[in-house]
Structures are given as structure tokens and as C-alpha cells.
Amino acid sequence: MAAPQNGEPVANSPELATALRNEIPELTQRLMAAVFTDNPEWTDYSAVTRADLRDGCQRFLTRVVELLGAQGVGAERDDVAASIGELRAEQGVPLEAMLRTFRLGGRIVWEALLDKAEDAPPAAFRETGTTMWAVIDGMSSALVTSYRNTELDRVRRDERRRHGLIEDVLAGRAHDALFAARAARELNLPVHGGYLVVVARGVAHPMHTGSETVLAAMGIRSAWHDRADSTVGLVALEHRKAEPALRRLRPQVRGRAAVSPVAAGLAEIDTAHTLALLALDTVPDDAVGVLVSLDDCYPEALLLRSTDLTQLLVTHALGPVLELPIKERDVLLRTLSVWLAENCSAANAAPRLHCHRNTVINRLQRISTLLGRPLEGQRSYLELSLALAALELGRSAHDRHDREPGPA
């Protein structure tokens, strides 16, 4: 059995650790060599300088020897292993490479211990081996915990930055060409080309997960952002048509959603977002699994954009009817709506209203008398249709207001 300089035999872990302290530089060189020669295909330290890696190996081996001298106490909470894990995670070194390095370091220290304790009694040999690998296991655990926490923090930071960029794009910052280029690069979106903006509301998660993946399968890039009250998607059509993308997105909608007209590049996203919100306001709050396009609801959107004029239109077109008792008013409004929907055919409207054709005609005559003008004619059809649409939008808005919680 080898002995230290005083001639006493080396018999236990603390004594063996003391005997190894002066050999740390040599052990570091051996570990560096092992990292790059033992199964090099498992090694990925491309983001780490040689000097940085050597420093990390030396700090690791020094702490292994120190913990060995302390009988392994505190290895699971070791700050050296934790700091190495945090640094390598930030550098993008794979966790598997780090764990392999720790195992290689443990093997090198163990071989050095064997050289120091060739004649140690079996009990001392077992005690040292148990302590040695408990240290490596504990430090590996500390490494993994720190590495994963750092990765999680990085993912959260990346997600916050990504969401911040999307918010800035929605706010119109992409009119600045430099910002647009940076946002496009970080969001993996093109600066130019056609875009759709999708806005979804109605449930906690108004879009099924995987919308980005569904579009990616078509070669379409997109970015999705959860806000407090909605989910917003930026869909880069580039030179594609919108309808194929919308067909894929419709099954993804859990609540209600609306899509803007095609916008020309990131710089027009803010306007497209406003138009998508406008289209969404035309959808009843209780709608489920619905995706509407602004192209499908221009009349309603126009009414929403000018509420004062809309109210004047409703009063002008239907005022006397709206002043009737509720029951009569609702019957006449329903009759008028169905008649217009059936291309102004009383015969076609009657089955839907569950009444005789003559009843429909009598109700229409009653409306005409109240309004003081005939119901026929292109302008009358337009005004009446818009007024009825405005009433429906008003009911939806009233229902929405009634469902909103009051102040606490």
C-alpha cells in the first residue's frame, strides 16, 4: 500500500482525498484528454472554449476531492456542480455530455485513489468506493437540477421575448423596417408577403393546441400568442391563397374566431389585427367552433364602426315598429327578417313562420303602414336589412354586457 510522506498508511477517504489534492492539475489533464478521446461522438462542447472547459474540469475535480474528504456530505446541493450546470445550459452544451464528463471525472479520480490505496484493507476500500460514487451521484444530481432550472428559465425568457415582439408588431412597430427585420428573424416569419391575423375568444383556450404545427405541415409559418382575453395568430401566407389555410384552421377553433383580410407584410399587421377584432365582434358570444372572415360580414362590420350612424339608421328604418308592445314588435320584426331572407317571397316565408301566406302579407302591410312607406325597392331592402342586422348586433352586445361580472 502506498503511503504519504510521513510514512503512515493511507487508510480512509479523508486521508486519500488529502493525498490527491496536489494531483488536481494532472487529473484535469487526464479528464480533458478523456473528454475528447473516449467516444468523441458523444462530445459536444463546440460552444465552450478550451480554457473554459479546462477551468470547469478543474473546479469539478477539486470539489470531488473536497467532498470525498468530507465523507460526501452536501454533494446533492453542491454549488460548484450547480454553477457548472447553469453555465453549460446557457452555452447550450447537451446535458448528456455534462453527465458523461462527470462520470469520466469520477472514473479518473477512482483510478487515482486505487493507486494510493493498493494495500488498503477490504473494509476501507469499500468505504472509500461507496463515498466516491455517492459524491459523483450527488454532484450529478445537483448538475441536472441546476441545468434544467436554467433551461426552464431560458425557455420562459424566450417566450416572454417572443410574446413581447408579437405585441409590438400588433401595436404597429413593424412600420419601422429595422424592427420588422428583427421581429421577422426572431419569430421565424417573413417581412414581406401576405399575412392573415386570426383572433379567437370565448373559452379559456379558444384554439386547440397544435395550430402552428397544422399550418407548418402545409409549409405555412405562423406565430401564436395568448393574451389575457384572446389568442392571436399571425399566419404568413407569403404567396399562397388564404382558403386552404383557413380550412385547416377551422377545426382548431374551440371558441369563436375571426380572420382579417390578407395584409401586405408585417408592417400591415396592426391594421389587419384591428379588422379581425371588428369581424370577431359580429359573431354571437355563444358561438362555438366558428371562424368568420371579415369578407363574410362587411355590412355588420360597417355598422359596428359607426355606432351613432347605426342608431340613426335603426330609428329611421324601424322606429315606429320598435315602439310597439314587445310581443307584437317581435312578431313583426321576425316576419320582416324571414321575408327578406326568402327574397321577399311571402309564400316562402310562411312555412318558416308557421303561418299562412296571407298572415305574412297582413303583417307586412301592418309594418308598411307603421313606417309610412312601402317595403319594396332596392333601397328599402338595404335599409331594412341593415337595421335588422344592427338590432341583432345590439342584442349580442347587450347579452355580452349582462354576462360580464360587475365590480367587486
Side-chain angles (χ1 to χ4, degrees), residues 57-70:
C57 289
Q58 183 166 323
R59 289 195 297 130
F60 164 67
L61 292 170
T62 301
R63 184 50 61 92
V64 170
V65 171
E66 289 174 352
L67 289 171
L68 186 62

Side-chain angles (χ1 to χ4, degrees), residues 97-233:
M98 293 303 308
L99 291 172
R100 172 177 170 270
T101 299
F102 273 33
R103 289 194 300 271
L104 288 173
R107 188 183 73 187
I108 288 169
V109 173
W110 178 241
E111 290 171 351
L113 290 173
L114 292 178
D115 292 340
K116 296 290 183 184
E118 291 178 350
D119 299 326
F125 191 81
R126 285 194 299 271
E127 180 267 335
T128 300
T130 299
T131 303
M132 172 67 215
W133 292 109
V135 166
I136 299 301
D137 286 345
M139 293 185 71
S140 296
S141 177
L143 169 82
V144 170
T145 299
S146 176
Y147 187 99
R148 288 178 175 165
N149 286 342
T150 303
E151 274 197 322
L152 182 59
D153 288 342
R154 184 174 61 184
V155 168
R156 287 170 176 165
R157 288 197 306 271
D158 290 346
E159 193 65 17
R160 285 196 296 269
R161 184 171 66 250
R162 177 183 173 87
H163 285 183
L165 284 171
I166 294 175
E167 286 289 345
D168 285 343
V169 170
L170 295 175
R173 281 196 62 192
H175 292 282
D176 179 339
L178 291 178
F179 173 83
R182 179 169 72 87
R185 182 174 61 254
E186 296 196 29
L187 295 173
N188 188 30
L189 295 173
V191 174
H192 305 292
Y195 270 94
L196 296 176
V197 176
V198 179
V199 181
R201 286 180 178 157
V203 292
H205 301 285
M207 298 291 293
H208 287 290
T209 57
S211 298
E212 186 171 349
T213 303
V214 166
L215 292 174
M218 303 174 63
I220 295 176
R221 291 181 282 175
S222 64
W224 295 83
H225 172 42
D226 289 326
R227 309 177 94 182
D229 63 343
S230 62
T231 294
V232 178

Side-chain angles (χ1 to χ4, degrees), residues 190-196 235-239 262-266 269:
V191 174
H192 305 292
Y195 270 94
L196 296 176
V235 180
L237 295 174
E238 299 182 70
H239 304 294
V262 176
L266 278 181
I269 289 294

